[in-house]
Amino acid sequence: MSVFVNKESKVIFQGFTGEHASFHAQDAMSIGTNVVGGVTPGKGGTTHLGLPVFDTVAEAVAATGADVSGVFVPPPFNADALMEAIDAGIKVAVTIADGIPIHDMVRLQRYRLGRDAILIGPNSPGIITPGECKVGIMPSHIYEKGNIGIVSRSGTLNYEATEQMSALGIGISTSVGIGGDPINGTDFVTVLKAFESDPETEIVVMIGEIGGPQEVAAARWAQKNMSKPIVGFVAGVSAPPGRRMGHAGAIISSESDTASAKMDTMEALGLYVARNPAHIGQTVLQAMREHGIKA
Amino acid sequence: MNIHEYQAKELLKAYDVPVPVGGVAYSDKQAAQVAEDIGGSKWVVKAQIHAGGRGKAGGVKLVHSIDEVKKTADAMIGSTLFTHQTGPEGALVHRVWVEQASHIKKEFYLGLVIDRVTQRITVVASSEGGVDIEDIAKAAPEKIIKEVVDPAIGLRDFQCRKIATGIGLKGRLMPQAVKLMKSLYRCMRDKDALQIEINPLAIVSIGEEEKLLILDAKFNFDDNALYRQRGITDMRDLAEEDPKEVEASGHGLNYIALDGNIGCIVNGAGLAMASLDAITLHGGRPANFLDVGGGASPEKVTNACRIVLQDSNVKAILVNIFAGINRCDWIALGLIQACKHLQIKVPLVVRLAGTNVEEGRKILAESGLAFITAENLDTAAAKAVAIVKETVL
């Protein structure tokens, strides 16, 4: 099982011949990802990393049966590339691009109405099911197979949590980075739902940031609908209000979207909360013990 | 990116949105000339800074003679305004906007934002204008009208009429309101604005007639779309921004100055925030937020060190890198370069993890330089805080 991607996934990369796509396609293959080819307009008919290159996603899908795409296309052209992927029948599109204009995202989200493709990102580290499939930019060697699902806005904080768990002998079922932009293709709730119905996931770690209502909405949804324990953390307790902290989405606009307020609400709703970013792993361990879950 | 009120009004005028007749002035003489050119008997002189709260700080004055325009402009230009948004250092006034004073009958609030929940442009309006919309949202949320725009069909006339009715605009003002809102929507979409705030939108009387007029406007543009917005980029006023932040963005670094004494160099916004949190939880105070981003070259890391060290409060630097798309060996080389070129006197606490971590650690160890290494986030923050406590005592 796992969530969204697994060893059955047939993966292509858009912007395949670029530096980052090449590096991470190779890394993905090294952990067993079934990469079937890539797309770079103008380079169709050639081969790259021993795999076929196509001019369009439609051609790639027709020839390889690809159903997952890692979109490594520069931000100004990324929304268009995502629409192309969805149009061609890709089921899971992952975009790592940091800097897609927000109006492009508004139009893209409108385009997705009535089309059932899953979009992960933008400004995301991607998704990884350890030992099966990686579509993204995370250092795959830190992810060990296990029973903990991770969903985070931040990439590097996702790595941080993974390493803390790994040091305690705890592994990951699937890790999903939904991205640090104000508009993301997939929200926390969608990923929580997927983890709830995934038999391989026993606990979910949810890592949020200051700004926006998503973490609290997800915690409220979880309280009503989830049987699996959740460990929450929200970065930015020390962030000053009104300043954008790197991620376009990370700006405190009201009293209720500070990190402390979000963690208070999570706690009140019965989630485990790590108040210190260095204690995410320990808090997962505590949740495992209290629920009789083994690593 | 933000712009000045005078630029906002000029932009709105190009979209046929009604704004007061006025002009920008860089000197008292020029201000008097503007007032004479636009005519009338009453004028408003408004200091042009990006920060809000100018009225209460004495940055907006109603005057009744050309001589008064001149005196007021003279007092404002070159002065420093302190508002709740400028911070303790205040904002230096380089120019004023002079406009005809309006006879205001009623004020409203009108805003266009990109709502994170609906992921669409949303028009927000209230019958209470001239005050903070956040205050209205708390005190009287029923006075806030919202209308969500489908990007495929744009803002429709009937939606504008709904908003207008909702805030009490009727009769002859209705078609004016519809035209104004649709123009604002087009402007927001065409110019890649993240937010347009009209506060206040006013009913003014001109003789017997009443009409709608925009008295103040704030724009915030999407930095990620500036590559396709030449005209907007040209309006950027670097004097309104922190010079260290401007320099950092020129190097592709995201830097925000804070008031503590532990400099921070981290990759990724989330981990950067968490590093500041960890420092704070250990009883320390971060001097800055700095995200080196992805694929950081040794040169970028050197630049990051230089920018952090421009803050003389910095007593130690915490480097926390969890490399995914980055490479720890490049980060290590950058730190060594920085130590050699910048003669760094403060201790550096370095935590490396992720891609090429072994190479990175080896490079640091073999450099012969006195890096203080840490295995994880917790010990890195603890070490940085402990060092600063020692130096301060």
Side-chain angles (χ1 to χ4, degrees):
Chain A
M1 270 302 287
S2 70
V3 160
F4 303 136
V5 296
N6 55 38
K7 57 180 178 296
E8 309 298 327
S9 303
K10 289 182 179 171
V11 180
I12 55 164
F13 287 87
Q14 286 171 258
F16 188 37
T17 53
E19 186 192 339
H20 291 306
S22 303
F23 180 83
H24 287 285
Q26 282 171 297
D27 184 64
M29 288 188 270
S30 77
I31 69 149
T33 309
N34 184 17
V35 181
V36 295
V39 175
T40 298
K43 292 192 180 165
T46 62
T47 55
H48 181 61
L49 311 179
L51 294 165
V53 182
F54 302 90
D55 284 317
T56 68
V57 180
E59 287 172 305
V61 169
T64 65
D67 54 3
V68 175
S69 179
V71 184
F72 282 62
V73 170
F77 317 108
N78 202 281
D80 185 71
L82 287 167
M83 288 184 206
E84 182 186 354
I86 294 164
D87 178 63
I90 290 290
K91 295 285 168 251
V92 179
V94 181
T95 180
I96 61 149
D98 172 7
I100 300 182
I102 197 162
H103 285 269
D104 288 7
M105 282 308 297
V106 170
R107 287 184 277 265
L108 174 63
Q109 291 298 75
R110 175 65 175 79
Y111 178 80
R112 287 179 65 210
L113 280 185
R115 296 172 168 93
D116 62 359
I118 290 164
L119 167 59
I120 293 167
N123 198 357
S124 144
I127 180 167
I128 183 168
T129 296
E132 297 190 27
C133 184
K134 160 185 146 160
V135 189
I137 55 170
M138 57 277 276
S140 55
H141 69 271
I142 66 166
Y143 290 85
E144 282 162 47
K145 189 84 192 152
N147 52 358
I148 311 297
I150 306 183
V151 55
S152 72
R153 280 213 240 170
S154 156
T156 46
L157 209 43
N158 186 315
Y159 315 158
E160 176 66 43
T162 302
E163 192 189 63
Q164 286 179 26
M165 285 189 262
S166 173
L168 298 169
I170 304 167
I172 307 301
S173 55
T174 298
S175 167
V176 185
I178 61 169
D181 278 4
I183 293 185
N184 19 44
T186 296
D187 60 5
F188 281 117
V189 172
T190 308
V191 184
L192 290 184
K193 262 184 212 168
F195 278 133
E196 175 68 8
S197 53
D198 171 33
E200 281 179 19
T201 302
E202 294 191 87
I203 291 182
V204 181
V205 177
M206 176 165 80
I207 302 170
E209 290 173 6
I210 54 166
Q214 255 199 49
E215 289 82 356
V216 166
R220 284 192 211 288
W221 180 88
Q223 189 213 18
K224 288 202 188 96
N225 302 290
M226 266 187 90
S227 61
K228 297 175 185 176
I230 301 180
V231 174
F233 169 73
V234 180
V237 173
S238 54
R243 298 305 307 267
R244 169 175 155 175
M245 295 303 249
H247 279 162
I251 179 165
I252 300 170
S253 52
S254 72
E255 278 168 32
S256 62
D257 66 355
T258 65
S260 300
K262 287 187 194 188
M263 287 195 279
D264 290 348
T265 310
M266 285 179 173
E267 217 158 48
L269 290 166
L271 275 65
Y272 289 89
V273 175
R275 291 278 174 170
N276 182 331
H279 296 166
I280 298 172
Q282 294 166 27
T283 313
V284 172
L285 195 60
Q286 183 200 340
M288 291 174 83
R289 283 197 191 117
E290 290 183 15
H291 286 80
I293 295 166
K294 292 200 172 69
Chain B
M1 191 199 107
N2 298 319
I3 58 173
H4 288 291
E5 176 196 6
Y6 78 94
Q7 295 166 320
K9 284 181 170 168
E10 280 162 9
L11 180 60
L12 289 173
K13 214 172 143 190
Y15 275 83
D16 212 12
V17 174
V19 292
V21 185
V24 67
Y26 294 81
S27 70
D28 56 341
K29 276 189 199 131
Q30 222 183 342
Q33 189 61 50
V34 170
E36 250 175 71
D37 290 348
I38 60 180
S41 58
K42 279 192 293 182
W43 299 270
V44 186
V45 182
K46 305 176 87 174
Q48 297 298 293
I49 57 169
H50 283 181
R54 290 172 301 169
K56 283 183 196 140
V60 179
K61 290 264 160 71
L62 175 70
V63 294
H64 296 84
S65 70
I66 300 284
D67 191 46
E68 238 188 307
V69 169
K70 201 175 165 192
K71 278 184 187 149
T72 308
D74 183 47
M76 276 184 194
I77 295 168
S79 73
T80 302
L81 276 188
F82 300 91
T83 83
H84 66 284
Q85 283 184 8
T86 58
E89 66 279 7
L92 186 60
V93 181
H94 293 280
R95 51 181 95 66
V96 295
W97 166 258
V98 183
E99 70 185 17
Q100 266 181 3
S102 307
H103 186 65
I104 301 164
K105 307 266 295 202
K106 175 149 179 52
E107 296 184 336
F108 304 89
Y109 174 91
L110 183 63
L112 284 85
V113 297
I114 295 175
D115 178 53
R116 293 170 68 144
V117 176
T118 58
Q119 306 189 328
R120 290 179 172 188
I121 295 178
T122 302
V123 183
V124 182
S126 173
S127 56
E128 308 284 308
V131 285
D132 223 333
I133 191 72
E134 280 83 16
D135 295 339
I136 303 169
K138 259 178 242 154
E142 73 284 354
K143 285 186 177 161
I144 293 179
I145 311 283
K146 285 185 186 172
E147 196 63 29
V148 179
V149 185
D150 182 334
I153 56 172
L155 180 64
R156 311 306 304 176
D157 287 25
F158 83 89
Q159 293 182 294
C160 301
R161 289 197 293 270
K162 248 166 94 180
I163 300 161
T165 314
I167 59 173
L169 286 170
K170 47 191 151 200
R172 286 187 179 181
L173 295 171
M174 177 72 81
Q176 288 182 36
V178 172
K179 183 166 174 257
L180 184 147
M181 285 182 222
K182 288 181 79 175
S183 298
L184 287 175
Y185 173 76
R186 270 193 296 124
C187 181
M188 171 127 173
R189 186 198 56 195
D190 296 351
K191 300 296 178 192
D192 279 302
L194 295 176
Q195 189 170 345
I196 303 178
E197 200 171 35
I198 307 296
N199 195 16
L201 166 72
I203 302 176
V204 299
S205 59
I206 302 163
E208 293 294 291
E209 230 180 301
E210 285 189 341
K211 68 174 240 180
L212 285 177
L213 200 61
I214 283 174
L215 296 186
D216 198 4
K218 273 202 169 60
F219 275 80
N220 182 226
F221 296 98
D222 184 357
D223 292 340
N224 292 333
L226 290 178
Y227 73 90
R228 63 187 181 200
Q229 297 292 354
R230 205 12 124 40
I232 300 299
T233 315
D234 289 346
M235 289 196 271
R236 186 171 176 188
D237 182 2
L238 294 177
E240 286 283 334
E241 299 172 33
D242 182 314
K244 289 197 291 289
E245 293 175 17
V246 173
E247 193 193 342
S249 73
H251 293 299
L253 302 163
N254 203 320
Y255 172 92
I256 295 168
L258 301 169
D259 56 9
N261 51 15
I262 300 177
C264 297
I265 297 173
V266 189
N267 69 316
L271 189 61
M273 275 187 270
S275 303
L276 308 189
D277 294 348
I279 289 171
T280 309
L281 287 163
H282 277 285
R285 284 164 48 238
N288 66 277
F289 168 99
L290 190 150
D291 173 9
V292 293
S297 63
E299 289 69 30
K300 204 168 170 185
V301 176
T302 308
N303 283 324
C305 290
R306 195 162 41 75
I307 287 159
V308 167
L309 286 166
Q310 281 173 13
D311 179 349
S312 56
N313 292 329
V314 170
K315 299 284 182 289
I317 297 178
L318 170 64
V319 180
N320 184 18
I321 301 294
F322 209 128
I325 203 160
N326 276 299
R327 296 171 47 166
C328 288
D329 50 335
W330 282 14
I331 302 285
L333 289 171
L335 291 174
I336 290 165
Q337 256 182 39
C339 286
K340 287 185 177 154
H341 296 290
L342 306 171
Q343 279 121 29
I344 298 179
K345 303 243 170 18
V346 303
L348 267 98
V349 180
V350 185
R351 183 270 184 127
L352 297 177
T355 307
N356 294 359
V357 60
E358 295 309 326
E359 293 92 316
R361 286 182 183 159
K362 194 161 166 251
I363 291 167
L364 290 186
E366 288 171 358
S367 71
L369 294 163
F371 295 108
I372 300 153
T373 54
E375 285 292 306
N376 57 46
L377 171 60
D378 206 29
T379 48
K383 282 182 178 179
V385 173
I387 288 165
V388 168
K389 281 198 175 138
E390 273 168 36
T391 15
V392 173
L393 293 173

